[in-house]
Structure formats: structure tokens, C-alpha cells
Amino acid sequence: MRVPGDVRSGVCTNRLFRALSALERAGNKLPHPFWLFVILSLVLGAASAALSMMDVRVTLPSTGETAAVRNLFSVHGAKFAIESALTNYAEFPPLATIVVVLLGVSVAERSGLLTALLQGTVRRLPVGWLTFAIALCSMIAHVMSDSAYLIMIPLGALAFRTAGRSPVLGLMVAYAATAVGFNSSPLVTPQDAIRSTLSMAAARIVDPGYTITPLATYYFTAVSSIVLSAAIALLVDRVLAHRPEFGADTLEQDFRTAEGLFNKSTGAAPEGETAATQLRALRTTGAVFLVCAAGIAAMLLPGSPFRGEGGSIVESPVVENVAVFISVVFGLLGIVYGRITRTIPSLGEVPAAMAEGVRSLVPVLVLFFAVAQFLAYFEWTNIGSVISVNGAELLRSLQVPHLALLLIIVLSISCLNILITSGSAMWSILAPVVIPMTMYLGMRPEAAMAAFMIGDSVTNCVTPLNGYFVLALGFVQQFRKGAGVGTLLSFTTPIAVVVLVVWGGFFALWYGAGIPLGPGVGIR
């Protein structure tokens, strides 16, 4: 007997939801990331003890030296753990970088500059470009790290409402674009700083002098943000926007709900004298930015004392310490904008804004302590070297093409990201293995990092273990009282699949063309 299409569809949907519920229950049983790294440290110790007893060792291709596994549970290992604990944390590469970047970004965010820029970008574009604009602004907003969700979800709803379109569709687009392209932005973000320092530490296992800056993948991520925004806009406007729940029957009630929910939380567009003040502040801030950009560019001109050895731009103090310049520029722009608009009435407010930004980092700083110890133990035991060298030899014997290996990394990370939603935590675990292994195969570590960035982004919008998935669902439920996990998943899953295909294919084209990932960073 033939089963009607809608019945088959309902059965498949129910199976999907049951599978997702089981996945959510399994994921919820995972311990807090802090304890996860403590457990991993204990597992590492047990593994090091067993491998040390078997006298496991490898010859490092980079130096020709022999690296034997050392027992972390030995007296020597215990002394190392005690004596290095403070140093491991103090010298943990992402620690200083992320704090310094957020000092400046926090001032710009507190002043209202970042929100004003995003609102202005959306407001000035034609209605036909609205979905593309929201998607691109969501990726620009990554400069505010996780705060991007808090700004973009209500902004997306209000922008669509102003254009006479469904605010529910707008907030879903904003959430999905922010999540699915989290490692794609035309601006350098705090995540770039964390990821590059973790990658550099891993690369120095093979080459002690290797340097990876936050600009390492800038060309690729900047262009990717435009490509992904276009893909999301096409999918939403041509397919998803035509679903009945976004139709005319629901618009009037949705408009009233949107006005009540979001007007205050997003800082609705000012009027009269306030609008004129904001416009003057934006123009002044833009002029200051141009002066800053010109000053930084002058520091990199030929013959400048700020060039690196041999006149290198990539190895210059400016590029290697770009986090400092990002912080200073954002802080200065925030001060200028805030003084004009009176959101920062005096310079005495600036340290408070910085402190507020650092305060939001406290959970990350706690996690970093456990991560720093685990990575130090991992390097000391030499287990990472054993895995990397043997893994590289296996892949070399299988003759896996480099591009195929990178795409396998993309797919593997995208699956793992459903359970481990913290990109920095996941890369902390994987970078010491993936980066050296790919380097031993003759690949650039930045290429492996770019592959990780894709996989770490595309499934963010479909995992209920992402805290902001719950936030977005809460907003949806304000409009649709019966909405559940499946309501949001039915919208975000097609976006995740399309972005995975488009971004993976775009990466393959970029790799095939041999285009540099960033300034002075070849992809092959």
C-alpha cells in the first residue's frame, strides 16, 4: 500500500526529533568544560603511564631527535605539574590576547558605536537586500564575540518588521547567520586572536619559531562572509520565506509582538536632535578611524623601522602584535563616539567599560586555567608527537590528497561541534594533534586552522547544546506559543546544510586556486 507523502514526511520528522532529543540528553550528560579538561588530564596521565612502560617513542621529522613518552603520574611528572602550574596559566597564549582585545572592544560596545553601525547598515539598504544585510551584519557583529547574538536577534526582528516582513523570519535569519558563520567576518574578531595563538603554540611543537597572527586567515574569512551571506539570502528569500508561518495571516499579530518585545532592548533608532548627534558622532568616528588606519599603514611603509627583519610585513611588530592595535583603535573610536553622544560622558567611565568587558570573560578565564594545564601536560608527555608522527605516516602511506584531508577535517569537526559547542575548548584539544600532523605532511598549519573554522561554525545553529539556540527559541516562543526545538531546527537545518556545502566548496576552490589565506600566508 502506498504511504501518502505527508505521512512519510511526518514519520521522518518524528524520527529526526527523537534522534535530536537523544543527542541533547547525551550532550547534557557531559560535564562542564572545566571538569572535562580535568578528566582529560587524568586520562592523559594514565595513557602516558602505560605508553611509558611500553617505551613508546618516535623520531621527529623536523629535528631528527627521538621523543619518548614520559609518565605524567611519575614523581618527575608530579614535580613538573606542581612547578609549572602558575607558568602554564600565565604564559597561556590566548590569555593576554583575548583580554587586551576586549579592553578596547568593550569601550566601543559600551558607547553604542557597534550597535549604531549595525543599525545604520541595515537601515540604508534596499528592501530586496534586507536578508543579505542582516546575514552580513551578523558576521560583522562577531567582533563583539557572543554579544553578537544579543544584538542581532532583536535587530533582525525589528528590521524585518520595518520592511513589512515577518519579524519571526528576521530573528531566525539573524540567529542562524550569527551561529553558522561564527568564524567568518570582514573584521578581525576576538575568536581570531584565541584561535591563532592556540594554533601557533601547536605549530611550535614542530617549528619553535613559527608565527601565526590573528590576520592569518583574514582574506579567506572576509570573502567567506560575503559568500555565506549571499547563500543564506538566496535560500531564505527563495525557499524558507515562503513557508505558511511567515505568511500574511500572521503578520499583524507578529508586528504587535515585535514592537512590545524589542523596541527598548535594541535601542530603537533615535529621532530629532538625538539622530543628528548620532550622525555627527558616526562621521567623526569615521574620520578618526581613517587617521588611525593611515597611521598604521605608514608604520608598514618600505624603510619603516616598524618593519620586521629583512623588511618583512608579516614579521613586523605591527602584524605580530595586531591585537594591541585592534584594542587601541576600538577603544579610541568608542571614546570619540561616546563623548559626542554622551554615552561615555567622561574619561572616568572608560575603565569601568573595560572592566565590564573583562568581567564577562570570567567564565572563560576559569576554563583557561584547566585548558592551560592540560596542554602543558600534553606537550610534556610527548603523546602529541607520537600521535602526530604516526598519524602523518599513516596518511602518507594512504596517499590521501591534502585537499581531501582538509575536507575530512571540516566534516569531522562539524559533527563533533554538535556535542562540543565551545570552539576554543575543542581547538585546545585538537590543535596539538591536527596542526603538527598536517605540518609533517608538508601542509600549512593555517590551512588546517581554516578547515577547523568551517567545521566549527556550520553546525552551531542546529545543536540544542548551544546556549544561544535556547535564547533564539525563547524569542520564537514569544511569537509562537507552541514552538519547540523542532520549530527552530526546521529553519536552521537547511541553512546549516547549504552553508556546509557552499563553504566547503568555496574552500576547495580557494585551495585549488592557491590564493593566500591572509597577508603573507599561502594556503599550500
Side-chain angles (χ1 to χ4, degrees):
M1 186 173 100
R2 186 171 181 175
V3 181
D6 57 344
V7 174
R8 289 199 304 270
S9 176
V11 170
C12 292
T13 302
N14 289 335
R15 288 176 178 172
L16 172 63
F17 290 169
R18 284 198 298 270
L20 289 170
S21 297
L23 181 62
E24 182 176 4
R25 288 193 299 271
N28 287 337
K29 292 179 180 179
L30 289 174
H32 186 281
F34 179 90
W35 294 115
L36 179 62
F37 277 97
V38 172
I39 294 170
L40 286 173
S41 297
L42 296 174
V43 172
L44 177 68
S48 68
L51 295 174
S52 176
M53 291 177 61
M54 291 186 288
D55 194 28
V56 174
R57 58 185 65 228
V58 294
T59 300
L60 301 178
S62 56
T63 63
E65 298 177 354
T66 299
V69 174
R70 293 190 281 191
N71 183 2
L72 185 62
F73 283 169
S74 66
V75 174
H76 188 41
K79 287 179 64 178
F80 167 79
I82 295 170
E83 293 172 352
S84 66
L86 296 180
T87 304
N88 296 339
Y89 189 48
E91 297 181 356
F92 186 49
L95 184 61
T97 303
I98 187 63
V99 171
V100 169
V101 168
L102 276 182
L103 287 177
V105 172
S106 297
V107 176
E109 185 177 357
R110 170 78 171 271
S111 70
L113 171 62
L114 299 180
T115 302
L117 287 173
L118 293 173
Q119 289 178 331
T121 301
V122 171
R123 197 181 302 125
R124 285 173 171 76
L125 284 175
V127 174
W129 287 81
L130 181 59
T131 307
F132 174 84
I134 289 295
L136 183 58
C137 283
S138 297
M139 297 180 196
I140 294 173
H142 294 155
V143 73
M144 296 183 284
S145 195
D146 286 355
S147 297
Y149 291 101
L150 305 177
I151 297 295
M152 290 308 305
I153 290 176
L155 179 59
L158 277 183
F160 270 64
R161 186 258 176 271
T162 302
R165 300 179 66 183
S166 169
V168 185
L169 178 63
L171 74 86
M172 285 185 171
V173 169
Y175 163 69
T178 304
V180 82
F182 199 78
N183 291 326
S184 174
S185 177
L187 300 178
V188 180
T189 70
Q191 285 300 315
D192 290 323
I194 294 176
R195 190 167 46 247
S196 63
T197 48
L198 288 171
S199 300
M200 183 170 65
R204 287 183 173 178
I205 296 173
V206 178
D207 182 354
Y210 205 93
T211 299
I212 300 177
T213 75
L215 294 173
T217 59
Y218 177 73
Y219 297 158
F220 177 69
T221 54
V223 179
S224 291
S225 65
I226 299 173
V227 172
L228 299 188
S229 298
I232 292 171
L234 285 172
L235 176 63
V236 170
D237 290 341
R238 299 290 177 86
V239 181
L240 300 179
H242 299 290
R243 293 168 56 175
E245 55 265 42
F246 305 129
D249 294 342
T250 63
L251 284 183
E252 185 176 349
Q253 180 59 42
D254 287 347
F255 286 168
R256 288 197 296 267
T257 305
E259 293 293 340
L261 280 176
F262 299 135
N263 266 354
K264 293 182 180 179
S265 64
T266 57
E271 298 180 357
E273 183 178 346
T274 307
T277 302
Q278 186 187 66
L279 181 59
R280 179 165 59 90
L282 286 173
R283 286 175 175 171
T284 305
T285 304
V288 172
F289 173 75
L290 291 177
V291 172
C292 292
I296 294 172
M299 297 173 70
L300 296 174
L301 290 174
S304 168
F306 292 97
R307 287 263 196 152
E309 186 176 350
S312 170
I313 292 179
V314 176
E315 297 179 0
S316 69
V318 177
V319 174
E320 290 188 346
N321 299 279
V322 69
V324 176
F325 288 87
I326 292 171
S327 181
V328 171
V329 171
F330 271 104
L332 181 59
L333 297 181
I335 291 171
V336 172
Y337 183 87
R339 292 301 300 274
I340 296 174
T341 60
R342 307 300 296 170
T343 52
I344 299 182
S346 69
L347 293 179
E349 298 288 328
V350 174
M354 292 179 171
E356 185 177 337
V358 174
R359 195 156 41 239
S360 67
L361 266 183
V362 169
V364 178
L365 298 181
V366 172
L367 175 61
F368 275 3
F369 181 80
V371 174
Q373 308 310 319
F374 171 77
L375 292 179
Y377 302 159
F378 195 76
E379 182 177 355
W380 184 86
T381 59
N382 286 326
I383 286 181
S385 297
V386 170
I387 296 174
S388 301
V389 172
N390 289 328
E393 287 298 328
L394 174 62
L395 292 172
R396 187 177 290 113
S397 66
L398 296 175
Q399 297 184 337
V400 178
H402 288 177
L403 178 58
L405 177 59
L406 291 171
L407 293 178
I408 290 172
I409 292 174
V410 171
L411 290 173
S412 302
I413 298 298
S414 64
C415 295
L416 191 58
N417 187 52
I418 295 175
L419 289 176
I420 306 176
T421 57
S422 171
S424 57
M426 179 161 47
W427 195 227
S428 297
I429 298 171
L430 297 177
V433 174
V434 174
I435 292 289
M437 183 173 66
T438 52
M439 291 179 73
Y440 288 140
L441 287 171
M443 301 168 63
R444 292 293 295 258
E446 295 89 350
M449 184 173 73
F452 167 81
M453 291 161 61
I454 298 173
D456 181 49
S457 296
V458 293
T459 48
N460 276 338
C461 65
V462 298
T463 172
L465 303 182
N466 180 356
Y468 295 101
F469 182 97
V470 179
L471 173 71
L473 180 58
F475 277 119
V476 173
Q477 289 173 336
Q478 299 293 325
F479 293 89
R480 306 285 188 267
K481 300 303 180 184
V485 170
T487 305
L488 191 54
L489 281 178
S490 66
F491 183 86
T492 57
T493 300
I495 291 179
V497 173
V498 167
V499 168
L500 175 61
V501 173
V502 169
W503 206 358
F506 181 67
F507 178 69
L509 291 174
W510 192 287
Y511 185 90
I515 303 172
L517 287 169
V521 180
I523 193 169
R524 288 184 278 156

